[in-house]
Amino acid sequence: MRIRPQTLARLVLVPTILLTVIGVYGSILWTVNISFTSSGFLPTGKYVGLDRYYELWGQARWRVAYTNLFVFGGLYIFFCIGAGLLLAIALDQGVRGRSFFQTIFLYPIALSFIVTGLAWRWILNPTTGLEAYVRGLGYEGFSFGWLSDPDMAIFTLVIAGVWHSAGLMMVIIFAGLQSIDGEIWRAGRVDGISRFHMYRGVVLPMLFPVFVTCLVLLAMNVVRSYDLVVAMTGGGPGYSTDVPAKYIVDHLFDRANIGRASAGATMLLLTVMAIIALSTYLGRKETRR
Amino acid sequence: MKDQNAIAMAAIYAFLAIAAAFFAIPLIIMLLTSFKTAEEVREGSIFFLPESWSLAAWGKAWGEACIGRVCEGIGGNFWNSVLITVLATSISLLLASLNGFALAQWRLRMSGPILGMLLIGAFIPYQIMIYPLVRLFATGGMHQTLGAIVTVHVLFGLPILTLIFRNFYIGLPEELIKAARVDGAGFFQIYGMIIVPMSVNVFLVAAILSITGVWNDYLLGLIFAGPNFQPMTVSLQNLVGTQMGLPEYNVNMAATILTALPPLAVYLLSGKYFVRGVTAGAVKG
Amino acid sequence: MTRVEIDGVERAYGAVKVLKGIHLDIEPGEFVVLLGPSGCGKSTLLASIAGLDPVQGGEIRFDGRDVARDEPSDREIGMVFQSYALYPTMTVRKNMSFALRVAGMAKPEIDERVNWAAGVLQIEPLLERKPAALSGGQRQRVAIGRALVRKAKVFLFDEPLSNLDAKLRGEMRAEIKALHEKLQTTFIYVTHDQIEAMTLATRIAVMSGGEIQQFGTPDEIYRFPQTRFVADFIGAPSMNFVDAVLRVEGGRASLEMGQVRVELDDYAFAAPPRDGQPVIFGTRPERITLQGDPSPGAIPARVTGVEPMGADTLVWLDTDGHRWSARVSPEEANALGREVHARPDPQGISLFEPESERRL
Ligand SMILES: Nc1ncnc2c1ncn2[C@@H]1O[C@H](COP(=O)(O)OP(=O)(O)OP(=O)(O)O)[C@@H](O)[C@H]1O
Ligand SMILES: [Mg+2]
């Protein structure tokens, strides 16, 4: 007897479902479970309640890492969307060579965060990069040592991150601008409303869902930000540019403290769930209006 | 009025030019540096043109640069990355397109929940899942093998790729599949002879997304690939991070560009498909 | 030549019953048209016959063999869809040969069949083109050709002409009819176009709300509608209705509408009429003559509109609050004043029971 096509349609889904249920959801449960145990180098079954979480939050390095998530994330998202928006609006003014500019603005997104990090580390390196160049021009007092300054190093990550992702925001926002009906612009012209006020009062509010999409996309990059930090600062100087993603990986593999790493991972999971809830709420609110 | 417009346009062009410089300069500096000799790098400034264009750094990065005590460059890792990318992309595309077809056209009662389960999983950071996966592979004797690294790439690539295919297939008329069933074609015949030829463009978009994603990955390669299948991003980071003595910036930059070259080529060659690929993640399901 | 028996077929989407126990007995070589308003379940019934939509009850028999649980491909059917559903990446030849290739037929025989079907449909010059390079009518032909090559036992058509313009529709209609005469295969054809149904069908099944209202020849359906729904649905403009009361005096039946009486000497009653029985009286527009002067059996009416249609003229009437229409010759229409008397032809009367809306 031949197998019915509907049955085959169900069967082809089986590998993916198994893979996801075990690999994603099983792994999440495992990690959450381990975060309540005293596991160190190896996982153990000894439950210690919320001890690992107290331990985690009692540690300065985690607090710095978790704060950095929001410092880096907030600035990265703000500047990416801001730069993307400005570039998109500039390109929307009927400029010539639009595709040339787009190509230049967007290419960094094709590069890995490792490449991005190494490139910017080289440019921002005080002894070889920008600082040396400007001093060479005769401005001996010039100094740009953010990379080795514990208070400023986190901002170098923002610069590199924005360089990497702003082009993508530009493309997404530009597509949103293009999708706005030309009639609206004509109506605005008839009513004598300036372009600036059209953008601020009419066009940008219409693009609200696009900004939510951008926000989600960038937020996922922030939560996952591991490569960029490793390539650019290695978390340093000290642990001033540490982020949860790096903290977790370090504790899993180098420091062999699985329990604490799992507690950190669970905190990260909760953060992500809060972001998802927030963006769904924003999306809902928009559709309800 | 005319004048005002002209001034405004001039300002816009100036803004775009400055922005273009900001985006272009890192690549230019990397290129310039990679063509310099070691001496020149030490003495000159990053913005100077090389005095004599030298390919020495490129050759060294490819075949001789030392990572720790092993001096074989990152050429071998290039081929590892190619292998991992090709395998992971072909398997992901096959599974994702079959999934998308099954979810879109066969009126399965569970298709909504299944898609939801896949997509929610796609938002979770890898850090939460890597350790259990390491244990799982170790138990299966697969830790740090080609199979392990390809499997994790497929696992994490599938949700978004499945969504891309599903969104395309949901737009195809149901009657097409009905006609094919009356004609006696089974599930795989309909898939292979009708659906795949119709979705070449979607395969292209999905392939671009998958290729750049897998090639540019660092974390999964670091943990799951092991020394035998170490991808290029990992060896690049090791090369730059573990140099002994004076850093050879020209070699580092050549290695960096070598690593960036394949996705850059994909970007430049595929044009609008690339944009569709990288923004495909933005379309909500 | 295949006999198709549909025996109590049921289909529900959730709680909504779309097919409520359909019975149809289709003779070998018939051309049956399923006719009904949108959403009445025509496509669902056709898909059940094809095996594309699982049935939840009843049997579908081809020559006595129950096929209700067979895969579509095992039923030896050919099907033509409204959107044609041509495979866009394949040439016409590939489209037509697809089923045969899937079945693993030898190449020479495939070629022979495709060439034969292309000859029948006169699409030989199109064989190497892709569907995108064809006109609507040509696509339709290819879709039919795809069914033809399979030498199917039953041909199913789901509104195959509704995407074509009026002129082409007329031509294709004639071609499909000629094709049926040539092949002598059983055809089942879904449409909501009455003209198509009338001209093509050997028998029409009028459907409404998931039930068969009437199954009969076009003539029966038109002249002796079995339910008020059929009477109303068939014919444009539709039948004129008015409430009336039956009178039976001395074995002779007549109809009382206010002051007017209509004799019913020639009416074939399904059941013996009762005196005083309320009925719905119906008559078709072309069965009405209009006169200026009152006469026995003529209903007084006011003319509200005149629509010349060329060959004849439609006159819209107001008969004591009912909107009627009458189809008369242009000369007659010109001679009319505002107040007229409409006289129904005693041969063209339909009576329905008000409760059940069934024919009396
Ligand atoms: N997948 C489905 N789920 C729920 N209801 C459905 C589904 N498919 C069809 N229906 C319902 O079944 C009824 C019959 O549909 P069907 O397509 O058979 O109508 P039809 O007579 O062919 O109409 P049309 O002339 O518009 O094609 C409709 O009321 C429709 O809403
Ligand atoms: Mg229909």
Side-chain angles (χ1 to χ4, degrees):
Chain A
M1 214 198 93
R2 246 186 6 196
I3 307 175
R4 290 178 56 235
Q6 283 90 343
T7 315
L8 284 173
R10 291 194 182 91
L11 282 179
V12 299
L13 290 168
V14 169
T16 306
I17 293 174
L18 277 184
L19 213 56
T20 310
V21 167
I22 297 173
V24 174
Y25 291 94
S27 299
I28 293 173
L29 287 181
W30 196 93
T31 298
V32 172
N33 180 44
I34 285 297
S35 75
F36 297 114
T37 68
S38 64
S39 307
F41 172 61
L42 284 172
T44 66
K46 188 159 171 288
Y47 287 92
V48 293
L50 290 176
D51 278 6
R52 308 316 297 269
Y53 291 89
Y54 290 125
E55 193 185 310
L56 184 75
W57 285 102
Q59 206 194 15
R61 180 175 165 192
W62 168 260
R63 289 200 303 269
V64 169
Y66 197 75
T67 314
N68 278 344
L69 189 64
F70 293 94
V71 175
F72 168 69
L75 292 170
Y76 168 73
I77 291 174
F78 176 81
F79 282 107
C80 274
I81 295 185
L85 178 64
L86 286 179
L87 292 173
I89 290 181
L91 289 182
D92 197 29
Q93 307 308 310
V95 298
R96 282 193 212 165
R98 204 187 78 206
S99 71
F100 167 77
F101 281 120
Q102 265 194 8
T103 307
I104 292 185
F105 298 155
L106 189 58
Y107 85 89
I109 200 78
L111 309 182
S112 64
F113 275 118
I114 290 286
V115 167
T116 305
L118 292 179
W120 279 95
R121 178 168 142 195
W122 166 233
I123 294 166
L124 297 180
N125 182 333
T127 53
T128 56
L130 204 60
E131 184 181 295
Y133 172 71
V134 178
R135 283 188 182 172
L137 292 179
Y139 304 95
E140 289 294 341
F142 181 83
S143 99
F144 192 79
W146 284 10
L147 205 52
S148 46
D149 178 346
D151 291 332
M152 305 306 276
I154 189 80
F155 301 114
T156 63
L157 292 177
V158 175
I159 295 176
V162 170
W163 178 81
H164 179 268
S165 309
L168 181 61
M169 297 302 113
M170 179 266 309
V171 170
I172 295 175
I173 297 170
F174 186 75
L177 288 175
Q178 297 275 294
S179 72
I180 283 176
D181 189 357
E183 297 265 303
I184 287 184
W185 283 107
R186 262 171 266 149
R189 286 245 300 276
V190 171
D191 292 347
I193 300 167
S194 71
R195 280 186 89 78
F196 173 76
H197 282 103
M198 277 302 285
Y199 274 115
R200 217 188 65 177
V202 181
V203 175
L204 296 189
M206 283 174 78
L207 290 188
F208 184 80
V210 174
F211 291 121
V212 174
T213 309
C214 290
L215 184 76
V216 173
L217 229 54
L218 294 172
M220 290 305 132
N221 272 351
V222 172
V223 179
R224 288 183 176 161
S225 53
Y226 173 78
D227 313 7
L228 185 64
V229 178
V230 167
M232 221 169 143
T233 64
Y239 49 73
S240 60
T241 56
D242 203 1
V243 287
K246 185 170 181 329
Y247 179 96
I248 296 166
V249 174
D250 284 357
H251 280 75
L252 281 178
F253 297 101
D254 297 342
R255 296 174 165 250
N257 193 339
I258 299 166
R260 196 190 291 165
S262 296
T266 307
M267 288 315 304
L268 197 59
L269 178 68
L270 290 176
T271 312
V272 170
M273 279 165 34
I275 294 173
I276 295 178
L278 181 73
S279 65
T280 335
Y281 169 76
L282 285 177
R284 286 261 170 76
K285 204 171 127 203
E286 172 60 17
T287 47
R288 209 176 292 151
R289 272 205 311 214
Chain B
M1 198 63 203
K2 266 254 170 67
D3 286 353
Q4 256 182 7
N5 265 347
I7 293 170
M9 278 316 273
I12 287 170
Y13 278 110
F15 170 65
L16 287 175
I18 292 169
F22 170 72
F23 284 104
I25 280 173
L27 186 65
I28 294 172
I29 289 179
M30 279 196 286
L31 275 171
L32 292 181
T33 310
S34 71
F35 286 110
K36 292 176 185 170
T37 60
E39 252 162 276
E40 236 191 303
V41 174
R42 236 168 292 127
E43 283 154 20
S45 152
I46 50 173
F47 287 101
F48 294 165
L49 288 181
E51 272 162 29
S52 62
W53 296 75
S54 151
L55 280 174
W58 289 73
K60 191 161 181 196
W62 181 264
E64 298 152 32
C66 298
I67 301 168
R69 245 169 285 136
V70 187
C71 296
E72 293 173 347
I74 60 169
N77 303 97
F78 174 86
W79 295 113
N80 285 344
S81 276
V82 169
L83 186 64
I84 294 169
T85 305
V86 167
L87 281 177
T89 298
S90 3
I91 296 173
S92 307
L93 289 196
L94 181 72
L95 275 178
S97 59
L98 278 170
N99 288 341
F101 178 47
L103 289 172
Q105 287 284 348
W106 294 89
R107 294 210 194 152
L108 304 184
R109 217 175 313 132
M110 295 299 284
S111 58
I114 291 174
L115 200 65
M117 180 196 83
L118 281 178
L119 287 179
I120 290 177
F123 282 113
I124 311 294
Y126 302 155
Q127 278 78 5
I128 297 159
M129 301 172 268
I130 42 180
Y131 195 75
L133 287 173
V134 167
R135 304 274 306 175
L136 205 62
F137 285 125
T139 314
M142 266 174 75
H143 186 46
Q144 303 208 324
T145 59
L146 184 61
I149 179 68
V150 170
T151 306
V152 288
H153 275 305
V154 171
L155 171 66
F156 293 133
L158 268 181
I160 197 70
L161 297 177
T162 299
L163 181 71
I164 292 175
F165 282 104
R166 189 210 78 118
N167 285 353
F168 177 73
Y169 292 148
I170 204 101
L172 297 183
E174 257 187 4
E175 292 190 345
L176 212 59
I177 279 86
K178 289 186 176 174
R181 286 180 63 197
V182 170
D183 275 348
F187 180 87
F188 288 105
Q189 279 164 322
I190 299 178
Y191 170 77
M193 298 170 81
I194 295 168
I195 297 298
V196 172
M198 285 180 74
S199 44
V200 175
N201 283 354
V202 188
F203 270 92
L204 218 59
V205 168
I208 289 167
L209 189 64
S210 174
I211 289 172
T212 48
V214 174
W215 188 277
N216 286 340
D217 156 74
Y218 171 74
L219 176 63
L220 300 180
L222 179 71
I223 290 165
F224 293 96
N228 292 334
F229 295 98
Q230 193 178 67
M232 211 172 181
T233 45
V234 176
S235 56
L236 170 69
Q237 167 63 20
N238 287 346
L239 170 74
V240 177
T242 65
Q243 260 161 358
M244 302 180 197
L246 270 182
E248 297 176 289
Y249 290 112
N250 54 346
V251 177
N252 291 354
M253 289 302 124
T256 308
I257 292 173
L258 280 172
T259 311
L261 222 45
L264 264 185
V266 169
Y267 169 62
L268 291 175
L269 294 180
S270 58
K272 69 173 197 279
Y273 290 108
F274 182 89
V275 176
R276 272 170 59 190
V278 291
T279 51
V283 286
K284 275 195 264 157
Chain C
M1 299 255 272
T2 301
R3 171 189 295 273
V4 178
E5 292 159 290
I6 296 161
D7 196 357
V9 162
E10 290 177 8
R11 176 80 175 103
Y13 289 112
V16 189
K17 284 199 173 161
V18 178
L19 299 178
K20 303 172 185 163
I22 302 276
H23 289 273
L24 273 184
D25 202 343
I26 299 170
E27 300 288 330
E30 260 200 286
F31 195 135
V32 168
V33 170
L34 303 177
L35 181 65
S38 193
C40 70
K42 306 179 298 284
S43 297
T44 309
L45 178 57
L46 202 70
S48 303
I49 299 172
L52 292 168
D53 218 359
V55 297
Q56 285 146 351
E59 290 193 350
I60 296 168
R61 288 188 293 274
F62 286 7
D63 283 335
R65 184 173 66 92
D66 184 15
V67 296
R69 265 109 210 132
D70 286 6
E71 274 297 295
S73 48
D74 299 334
R75 300 189 184 199
E76 296 180 72
I77 48 169
M79 189 159 178
V80 177
F81 295 89
Q82 178 175 355
S83 66
Y84 319 135
L86 299 181
Y87 311 128
T89 55
M90 299 184 194
T91 61
V92 168
R93 179 186 292 284
K94 286 264 161 63
N95 259 283
M96 285 169 59
S97 63
F98 181 67
L100 308 180
R101 284 183 288 138
V102 166
M105 190 179 278
K107 185 139 189 352
E109 195 177 350
I110 293 182
D111 286 344
E112 188 195 317
R113 286 215 195 172
V114 169
N115 291 339
W116 165 76
V120 171
L121 296 163
Q122 298 174 325
I123 49 173
E124 287 113 328
L126 311 176
L127 279 176
E128 304 311 325
R129 288 207 207 156
K130 292 262 179 81
L134 301 178
S135 71
Q138 291 169 333
R139 284 180 205 180
Q140 190 57 67
R141 265 172 244 259
V142 176
I144 295 173
R146 207 166 54 177
L148 267 187
V149 292
R150 309 191 50 217
K151 306 232 160 121
K153 292 205 276 189
V154 180
F155 276 75
L156 307 174
F157 295 83
D158 192 355
E159 310 205 18
L161 305 185
S162 52
N163 280 353
L164 301 179
D165 65 51
K167 182 167 173 295
L168 208 53
R169 206 180 307 170
E171 288 172 21
M172 286 304 296
R173 206 166 63 207
E175 282 193 34
I176 290 178
K177 187 161 181 126
L179 189 69
H180 178 248
E181 266 152 30
K182 189 175 154 93
L183 297 175
Q184 295 288 320
T185 321
T186 311
F187 275 37
I188 305 176
Y189 187 108
V190 166
T191 184
H192 55 237
D193 180 334
Q194 298 177 28
I195 317 258
E196 257 173 50
M198 289 292 181
T199 50
L200 289 174
T202 57
R203 280 197 288 170
I204 297 175
V206 181
M207 289 182 71
S208 153
E211 288 172 330
I212 303 275
Q213 295 277 330
Q214 186 173 355
F215 186 36
T217 63
D219 187 53
E220 281 166 14
I221 299 264
Y222 191 77
R223 293 208 304 159
F224 307 106
Q226 290 302 309
T227 65
R228 185 180 159 168
F229 172 84
V230 176
D232 199 18
F233 185 71
I234 305 285
S238 65
M239 193 178 262
N240 302 307
F241 295 106
V242 68
D243 293 330
V245 178
L246 266 185
R247 291 286 165 217
V248 186
E249 284 154 7
R252 292 186 62 188
S254 62
L255 210 54
E256 191 179 85
M257 289 168 273
Q259 304 301 316
V260 185
R261 263 178 180 262
V262 178
E263 301 301 327
L264 291 172
D265 290 341
D266 299 324
Y267 191 79
F269 280 98
R274 282 179 290 112
D275 189 44
Q277 186 180 3
V279 294
I280 298 170
F281 162 86
T283 181
R284 296 219 176 264
E286 65 274 20
R287 296 292 195 151
I288 291 176
T289 29
L290 297 180
Q291 313 163 322
D293 304 323
S295 68
I299 301 155
R302 202 156 40 80
V303 175
T304 57
V306 177
E307 292 177 1
M309 318 267 295
D312 44 30
T313 298
L314 267 188
V315 180
W316 290 96
L317 305 168
D318 179 16
T319 61
D320 195 21
H322 293 91
R323 191 171 148 84
W324 277 27
S325 62
R327 196 185 290 276
V328 298
S329 72
E331 293 79 14
E332 279 176 81
N334 284 338
L336 291 176
R338 263 186 71 73
E339 303 295 331
V340 294
H341 292 84
R343 184 188 170 76
D345 176 355
Q347 303 286 332
I349 288 174
S350 292
L351 297 179
F352 301 97
E353 151 99 21
E355 297 281 297
S356 66
E357 302 205 328
R358 304 206 133 269
R359 190 179 182 85
L360 264 177

